[in-house]
Every structure is written in C-alpha cells, then in structure tokens.
Amino acid sequence: MTLIEALHFGRQRLQSAGVPDYEYDANALLQFASGKNLSVILGDPGQELMPEAEAAYRACLSRREERVPLQHILGEVCFYGYDFHVREGVLIPRSDTEHLVEHALELAPDRPVRFLDLCTGSGCVGIAFLLERRSGGYEDEGVLTDISPDALSLAKENAALLQAEVTVTESDLYAGLAGQRFDLILSNPPYISAKDMEGLMPEVRLHDPRIALTDEGDGLSFYRRIIEGAEGYLAPGGCVALEIGCDQGAAVTEMLSEKGFREVQCFKDYAGLNRVVAGHL
C-alpha cells in the first residue's frame, strides 16, 4: 500500500476500535513504523510503504486496538519539552503534571536549592525541574524517590538519557531519608480514590501500575502522610508543591493550613481545574 493508503487504513482501524484521538495515533504510528515524518507522508502520498514497515505498522495498530497506550508502543513521551523513555510498569507522564513543574519553578528561590521528588515514577517531574533550573544557571541538588524497582530503574535511565545529575533512591516517602533537609518537596502521588478506579480509560486502568494511581482509599492518604512528615525534612522557609485531583483542592489546602504552612495556594490548569496546591513552612 502507499503511504496515504496506510494512513487512511490506520485511521479507519483505530476509529472502528473506538480508540480516542485515532487520527493522531494513526499518524504517530505510521511515522514510527516507516521512519518518515508526516510532512513527507503527505508530500509524497503515492510513495509505497516498504513491506517491513507495513508489517511493523500493522503490528502497532493491533496493539493500539487492544488499548495499549500509544506511549508504550512508541517507547517515549515528551514532557515539558524533554523526551522521556516510558514502559509498562511505570506511570506514563501526563501533560497535566507539567503544571507541577511550572509552579515549582515559580516558587523556587533565586538561589541553588536542594529538592525532593517523592513518588517520582519515570523521574519526569524532578528531572524536568532540574534541567529547567540548570538552564537558568542554578546548580541544584535533586533526590528522586519511589518504592517501585521498575520506577527507580526507569528514573535512573531517564536521568542518564537527559544528563540530569540527580540521586535516585528507594524510599517509602520519607522512610529512607533520615537526617536530610530540602528547600522544596515535590510530588505527584497516587490520588485516585478506589471507587473512581473502575471509571478510568482502559489505557490507564489496564496499563498504568495501580500502585501509582490509587491509595486504595479516599485518594487523600498520601497527602496526609507527605504533609504530616514534611516539617522534619523541609529547611526553614521550605516549600511543598503537590499535584492534586481536580476535586481535592479544598481538602489538601486545609491540610497544609492546619499543619502551619503559610501562603498556601491552589493553582488551576489550562482547563480551569484545580491541579497544584503549594505552601511554605
């Protein structure tokens, strides 16, 4: 088949399978399988798709029809302008989480800092924060923690890939960090309640690790633990910044305020939904 025939073929297959954003996904998969960008495909639509590329494309389409996430098929995702490796067993970085990095950069002091990224997963938050700060001339020190061996391995891989000098260590929140202090604590913790899990898209429910999505309770237990323990790990004047679910702003804001945090703020995403809560100790 020609490139343009392959493009239409893929779109139709994914649409019939009920795949969201089927046009975008078919475009991405054809580019991935053929090694040609979309401008080449559209600019020379009569060009034949090589047999090996067609076989790879069909295989990719079959996986996407089974609702394997596009990012897992491609093996990477762009987060905050940086390409991160992704794979099964580790939470796929979402664009919503870029707001956590954005506001952490705004809240960070005008000097080198020591920061902690709890529940780091792929390492996207801590690594992107470090790289952005480094581009601004700051030589920060970052510690990225998780309890998942798969996540820790991938975070180390991404740190090496992006030449981000961070420490990646196994820790159940603060358990492995005795005696350490940080200017900034960041986290995108598991915050989906157990009752909301079944309503998630199959790409998320079946392919993202459950441990990274839910606390198997009301969705707030990690915030309680992070905020309760923060005083023992924050330097004077230090800041906590947390990604939240859109309906958790009031609860997390109250937790921070009750624990003595000041300048507590709830930031919205581009859709106008609550996305990040932060406060200074």
Side-chain angles (χ1 to χ4, degrees):
M1 65 175 70
T2 65
L3 289 172
I4 199 66
E5 287 172 342
L7 190 61
H8 291 312
F9 169 76
R11 289 175 177 177
Q12 289 168 359
R13 275 188 57 171
L14 297 185
Q15 183 181 23
S16 297
V19 173
D21 300 320
Y22 61 89
E23 290 188 351
Y24 177 89
D25 288 10
N27 296 351
L29 293 175
L30 182 56
Q31 291 177 86
F32 175 69
S34 68
K36 301 179 186 298
N37 63 42
L38 191 59
S39 62
V40 171
I41 293 170
L42 297 177
D44 189 8
Q47 184 181 159
E48 289 290 322
L49 183 63
M50 299 298 290
E52 61 272 22
E54 181 178 341
Y57 181 49
R58 288 178 181 272
C60 289
L61 291 172
S62 294
R63 294 184 69 197
R64 191 67 189 98
E65 285 175 319
E66 295 169 358
R67 305 305 284 270
V68 174
L70 177 67
Q71 298 92 332
H72 284 165
I73 300 172
L74 302 180
E76 66 178 25
V77 64
C78 183
F79 178 87
Y80 220 87
Y82 303 100
D83 289 332
F84 285 82
H85 286 175
V86 294
R87 56 175 171 258
E88 291 274 359
V90 184
L91 186 71
I92 297 170
R94 266 63 168 186
S95 58
D96 287 341
T97 304
E98 292 180 344
H99 293 279
L100 177 58
V101 177
E102 176 186 348
H103 293 298
L105 291 168
E106 294 171 352
L107 293 163
D110 187 17
R111 58 174 173 78
V113 299
R114 190 165 193 263
F115 71 89
L116 172 64
D117 176 15
L118 296 170
C119 309
T120 193
S122 66
C124 63
V125 170
I127 291 171
F129 177 83
L130 180 94
L131 294 176
E132 288 295 298
R133 291 272 295 173
R134 190 171 71 188
S135 70
Y138 299 105
E139 292 297 327
D140 294 341
E141 180 182 351
V143 177
L144 282 54
T145 72
D146 209 294
I147 61 170
S148 163
D150 289 338
L152 294 167
S153 174
L154 184 59
K156 290 177 181 177
E157 181 180 318
N158 280 321
L161 173 71
L162 294 166
Q163 300 181 349
E165 295 181 359
V166 294
T167 299
V168 180
T169 186
E170 181 179 353
S171 181
D172 182 2
L173 296 186
Y174 305 113
L177 303 172
Q180 299 192 49
R181 292 280 175 172
F182 303 92
D183 300 290
L184 193 63
I185 295 175
L186 312 175
S187 186
N188 173 25
Y191 61 71
I192 299 172
S193 68
K195 71 175 184 178
D196 289 337
M197 280 294 295
E198 294 310 309
L200 299 178
M201 295 174 60
E203 286 86 347
V204 179
R205 189 179 71 253
L206 302 178
H207 295 279
D208 272 325
R210 190 176 178 95
I211 193 175
L213 296 171
T214 180
D215 62 358
E216 303 294 355
D218 64 358
L220 295 170
S221 64
F222 277 86
Y223 299 117
R224 296 186 186 100
R225 293 173 61 195
I226 291 169
I227 293 168
E228 181 66 28
E231 185 175 5
Y233 298 89
L234 274 177
C239 178
V240 168
L242 306 166
E243 179 174 340
I244 60 167
C246 61
D247 59 348
Q248 295 171 323
V252 178
T253 295
E254 184 177 358
M255 289 181 202
L256 284 167
S257 297
E258 288 182 347
K259 196 60 182 174
F261 281 79
R262 55 187 175 79
E263 301 173 24
V264 178
Q265 302 177 73
C266 185
F267 301 97
K268 297 184 182 297
D269 60 22
Y270 298 134
L273 302 174
N274 290 334
R275 186 57 57 191
V276 174
V277 173
H280 290 82
L281 194 61

